[in-house]
Amino acid sequence: MSVSTGEVLEDWRISHVVPLFKKGSKSNLGNNRLVSLTSAVGKLLEEVLRDRIYKYLDRQGLIRESQHGFVHDRSCLTNLLEFFEEVTRKVDEGKAVDVVYMDFSKAFDVVLHGRLVMKIQSLGIHGEVVNWIRLWLNGRSQRVVVEDCFSEWRSVTSGMLQGSELGPLLFVIYINDLDDNVVNWISKFADDTKIGGVVDSEEGFQSLQRDLDQLEKWAEKWQMEFNTDKCEVLHFGRTNQGRTYKVNGRTLRSAVEQRDLGIQIQNSLKVVSQVDRVVKRAFGILAFINQNIEYKNWNVMVRLYKALVRPNLEYCMQFWSPNYWKDINKVERVQRRFTRMLLGLEKMSYRERLNRLGLYSLERRRMKGDLIEVYKVMMGIDRVNASRLFPLRPGEKKNQRTWVKGEGG
């Protein structure tokens, strides 16, 4: 009835904004993510509309392949695998590659409602749905809630609600055409954008700089802004000359490593920093569990380990899985330490402890994860360019069986 009559209840257009601390200094307000708490009933309708809109966009192929955020069958892992497959391939060929990490300044907060509605209509969404979205965006108000204190109500004239069901998809629509006229390869996860290109020659360098200029023009047109202080360049390849790039008239800073969707990327393409980071975090969580859990029953401890510790060691592991023994042992040391924490297992060998607890080694789990991801890519379960990740060679003999989609291998 709300969609057909075009009436959006006032309760659905108000929200409580709760700041969630991310990292850095707690005294810096910019280190908080602002999440909007809205009506649960209103979010149900948003979810229905979101699913219908996404189904239409996906069926018509209107969402760019470069977008991996808030898209079905795509994730942080598919983003990293697909983008860095191109990077590593060029580096293996002996070429120099530069990757520029772009950072929007408060991307979700500066989306203009009028221009967003115009973009939605340009995708062929009209009538009651776009009218309801327009009314849902207009006349919004919010107030900040910290513990039991409330600020005054303020009107909201721009931005997408972080915490709503419909907001993320609308942002994907708004940023969808960011890569128009971009020549080099570009990848997006919501607003996290990176662009890379081969820079062996002056022509390659100029091509990448022109793409950055194109992104700058797009941001100016749609009234978004790049935070040049957080935009950085990674230089890959032994022959890389470490060229400099400019955005908004400012030279971007070169870095030796960059955090990309939670993974530490080094310009040497080694995983040492990532291994050290996850191991340090995992040991910290193990210490917390050991100090604060008095009843160290095996079943309870294994559940805590699987829920709190192991996910940190296996996030996007198909992308950064270590291949040097020193790094493999460093990661495995976390599980060795956990199994020794349990009473009655201290004097057993590591293999015996794993058997008693029903656990596999982390190295074996990574191998299993790799096989699962290969299967998902080959079968089209994960939406990536399978032919680029796994180029297949046809059989040379007629009786030689080739692996095709839908056929066992």
Side-chain angles (χ1 to χ4, degrees):
M1 184 182 296
S2 174
V3 175
S4 61
T5 61
E7 180 180 357
V8 181
L9 299 181
E10 182 180 356
D11 188 48
W12 296 357
R13 292 184 294 178
I14 63 175
S15 57
H16 286 167
V17 177
V18 178
L20 296 180
F21 176 70
K22 295 186 293 183
K23 61 180 180 179
S25 173
K26 292 188 177 181
S27 61
N28 185 350
L29 298 181
N31 291 332
N32 291 276
R33 186 182 302 280
L34 305 181
V35 177
S36 299
L37 305 180
T38 58
S39 166
V41 179
K43 290 176 74 171
L44 285 175
L45 179 55
E46 291 177 38
E47 186 175 351
V48 172
L49 290 174
R50 179 203 64 194
D51 292 343
R52 292 294 185 90
I53 294 172
Y54 178 81
K55 185 176 181 180
Y56 161 76
L57 296 175
D58 187 49
R59 185 172 62 247
Q60 300 297 325
L62 296 175
I63 299 179
R64 303 289 177 92
E65 291 298 319
S66 59
Q67 180 61 261
H68 292 253
F70 309 115
V71 177
H72 292 176
D73 305 326
R74 291 190 158 218
S75 61
C76 296
L77 178 59
T78 61
N79 179 293
L80 293 167
L81 286 177
E82 197 167 52
F83 185 85
F84 279 96
E85 171 64 21
E86 197 69 30
V87 174
T88 54
R89 179 179 299 179
K90 298 301 182 183
V91 172
D92 287 343
E93 294 173 359
K95 298 180 179 179
V97 175
D98 283 348
V99 175
V100 183
Y101 285 86
M102 308 298 292
D103 184 87
F104 282 104
S105 181
K106 299 181 179 179
F108 277 79
D109 299 330
V110 298
V111 173
L112 299 177
H113 293 166
R115 299 192 178 197
L116 171 62
V117 171
M118 182 178 67
K119 284 199 169 189
I120 295 173
Q121 291 175 325
S122 69
L123 296 177
I125 302 173
H126 302 286
E128 295 176 344
V129 173
V130 72
N131 184 55
W132 189 91
I133 293 175
R134 182 189 292 108
L135 294 173
W136 178 73
L137 292 171
N138 293 336
R140 299 198 66 90
S141 58
Q142 64 183 23
R143 62 179 178 179
V144 178
V145 180
V146 179
E147 296 181 353
D148 295 328
C149 300
F150 299 84
S151 69
E152 298 293 330
W153 287 102
R154 294 295 179 92
S155 60
V156 180
T157 58
S158 66
M160 288 291 96
L161 278 72
Q162 298 190 58
S164 67
E165 297 293 331
L166 193 56
L169 179 59
L170 296 183
F171 181 81
V172 167
I173 292 174
Y174 194 80
I175 205 173
N176 190 45
D177 59 348
L178 172 65
D179 42 336
D180 274 353
N181 301 318
V182 171
V183 177
N184 293 283
W185 61 87
I186 184 172
S187 187
K188 307 191 294 278
F189 191 92
D191 62 319
D192 290 333
T193 304
K194 51 182 173 282
I195 179 171
V198 176
V199 291
D200 281 339
S201 62
E202 182 67 21
E203 182 182 354
F205 161 69
Q206 293 296 339
S207 174
L208 186 54
Q209 181 60 62
R210 284 194 297 270
D211 284 345
L212 295 178
D213 296 338
Q214 185 63 38
L215 296 182
E216 185 180 338
K217 291 178 182 178
W218 183 94
E220 182 179 358
K221 177 180 178 181
W222 298 104
Q223 295 192 14
M224 296 183 71
E225 185 179 358
F226 287 112
N227 185 352
T228 52
D229 291 333
K230 294 184 178 180
C231 295
E232 292 185 337
V233 185
L234 284 187
H235 306 286
F236 299 93
R238 295 182 179 179
T239 61
N240 201 303
Q241 299 180 23
R243 301 173 186 267
T244 58
Y245 301 87
K246 291 187 177 181
V247 173
N248 295 332
R250 298 184 59 180
T251 301
L252 302 185
R253 181 173 63 252
S254 296
V256 295
E257 69 177 41
Q258 170 75 26
R259 190 170 183 179
D260 188 354
L261 301 179
I263 304 297
Q264 293 295 126
I265 306 295
Q266 293 181 275
N267 59 1
S268 62
L269 291 174
K270 295 182 179 180
V271 297
V272 178
S273 294
Q274 172 65 12
V275 169
D276 290 342
R277 190 179 69 85
V278 298
V279 167
K280 180 180 179 181
R281 179 175 174 81
F283 273 128
I285 299 174
L286 268 185
F288 176 83
I289 293 174
N290 192 36
Q291 294 171 8
N292 292 277
I293 303 298
E294 295 184 8
Y295 180 62
K296 292 183 173 58
N297 175 272
W298 287 8
N299 186 44
V300 173
M301 294 294 285
V302 169
R303 286 175 179 267
L304 288 172
Y305 170 74
K306 289 181 177 180
L308 302 178
V309 180
R310 199 166 66 183
N312 287 282
L313 300 171
E314 297 183 342
Y315 168 70
C316 287
M317 63 180 181
Q318 295 87 346
F319 172 70
W320 63 269
S321 181
N323 60 330
Y324 290 120
W325 276 115
K326 62 177 183 178
D327 294 327
I328 293 173
N329 291 332
K330 192 178 295 184
V331 176
E332 199 71 41
R333 199 179 304 141
V334 177
Q335 188 162 266
R336 290 177 182 272
R337 170 71 177 276
F338 164 72
T339 56
R340 284 199 302 267
M341 286 168 46
L342 304 183
L343 296 176
L345 301 180
E346 305 95 320
K347 297 182 180 180
M348 294 183 181
S349 68
Y350 181 49
R351 184 181 295 275
E352 290 174 332
R353 295 197 298 268
L354 292 180
N355 290 336
R356 292 291 299 272
L357 297 173
L359 298 174
Y360 292 113
S361 69
L362 295 177
E363 183 182 7
R364 181 175 177 181
R365 285 182 56 84
R366 287 195 298 273
M367 181 182 294
K368 180 181 178 181
D370 289 346
L371 294 173
I372 292 174
E373 185 59 28
V374 170
Y375 176 83
K376 291 168 71 175
V377 170
M378 298 298 294
M379 296 296 108
I381 299 173
D382 274 357
R383 295 171 55 185
V384 297
N385 191 332
S387 62
R388 181 176 298 175
L389 291 175
F390 302 105
L392 302 181
R393 296 174 61 183
E396 296 179 356
K397 299 180 180 179
K398 292 183 178 180
N399 61 350
Q400 184 176 357
R401 187 178 185 184
T402 56
W403 187 3
V404 296
K405 186 174 180 180
E407 184 178 328

